[in-house]
Each structure stands twice: as structure tokens, then as C-alpha cells.
Amino acid sequence: MIAIDEPPHVRRIDTDRDDAYAFEIVGHITSADVENLYGLLEGAYEIHDRIDVIVILHHYEGFDWQAAFKEQTMIGKTHALRHIRKYAFVGGPGWMSSIVSIVRPFFSMEIRHFELDQAEAAWEWIGAAPLKPTTPDEVKAGV
């Protein structure tokens, strides 16, 4: 078995709606994390023309700004503009709310920032809920 130096910073959260996608991001966001996130979203666009997205940021430690200007990232941003109805950002640094307010008029999607303690309100806003993770015992019991 090969040991992984560092776990991925992006984790998908299952939701109660097929067209609602949720992600948890922890720590420093790398170029690989951005590519992973856009790759997951590209898969969603293949299934649904329009989706709602919630991204929950925990323990934010920075962002690889070079990732923002990579060709693949630019393509991902362009596709997002065509496919996302509502985009909720939860948590993150204090300046996140200001950035969302500044860029909101330039997007066709509805976009909002919520503080980490407002995560439930963010879920309500996109009209979805996280599914409880299934434990190995629940899988064995057929739950």
C-alpha cells in the first residue's frame, strides 16, 4: 500500500437532491484541489443542466492563486456560469463575504456567503440537506 502524504482538501457531501452538490474544503486549497472540484462539477453537468452548489470551508489556510489562472480552472469557471443556479459559500476568511458581494452582480447565478455557524441556513437557501454518512454496520444491515 502506498501512503498518501496529505489527504485531499476537497470532500463531496451527499445530499438529498440529485441536482444539489455539496463540498467541504479544509485547509490550504491547492491547484489539485481546484481541478478535483471542477472535475466533480463537470460530471454533475453531464447529468443535470442546472445544479445548486454549497461549499463549506473549514480551517481555511490559503489558496494557491496560480490555480485561479490555469486554463482548466478558467474552463471550469465558464461552465459553472452556465450550469449553477444557486451557489452558497459557507465559512472561510472574513473577506469572503465582501468578495461575494462585489462579484454577485456579474453572475447569472444566485450567490451568497454564510458564516460557518449559518450552515443550516445555507442548506435551506439551496433547498437541500446533507445525507447522513453510512457506517459500515449500516451497510451490513442493509440500511
Side-chain angles (χ1 to χ4, degrees):
M1 183 189 310
I2 299 172
I4 297 174
D5 292 335
E6 191 173 332
H9 297 128
V10 177
R11 180 180 71 84
R12 180 155 182 232
I13 301 169
D14 290 328
T15 73
D16 63 349
R17 279 186 32 221
D18 287 345
D19 63 343
Y21 289 79
F23 303 93
E24 178 179 49
I25 301 176
V26 179
H28 181 83
I29 303 166
T30 67
S31 180
D33 297 323
V34 172
E35 289 177 24
N36 180 30
L37 181 61
Y38 281 123
L40 292 168
L41 289 173
E42 287 293 329
Y45 308 150
E46 291 293 321
I47 300 168
H48 305 283
D49 185 49
R50 305 283 285 166
I51 64 172
D52 296 319
V53 176
I54 181 170
V55 174
I56 303 169
L57 296 115
H58 291 281
H59 309 294
Y60 178 80
E61 295 176 1
F63 178 79
D64 180 358
W65 287 101
Q66 291 177 342
F69 301 104
K70 283 187 160 185
E71 180 180 358
Q72 193 62 34
T73 303
M74 300 305 277
I75 292 169
K77 289 177 186 177
T78 302
H79 287 174
L81 292 174
R82 287 186 284 182
H83 294 282
I84 297 177
R85 280 184 300 256
K86 288 187 174 183
Y87 206 143
F89 285 102
V90 180
W95 50 262
M96 182 69 73
S97 186
S98 297
I99 293 297
V100 168
S101 294
I102 291 168
V103 300
R104 184 181 298 129
F106 302 103
F107 291 110
S108 59
M109 72 181 89
E110 293 181 65
I111 185 170
R112 283 185 58 187
H113 177 260
F114 297 82
E115 296 299 329
L116 201 51
D117 63 356
Q118 298 173 315
E120 189 173 314
W123 282 102
E124 288 176 16
W125 183 69
I126 69 163
L131 292 180
K132 184 180 91 171
T134 306
T135 67
D137 291 336
E138 290 173 330
V139 171
K140 288 180 190 174
V143 175

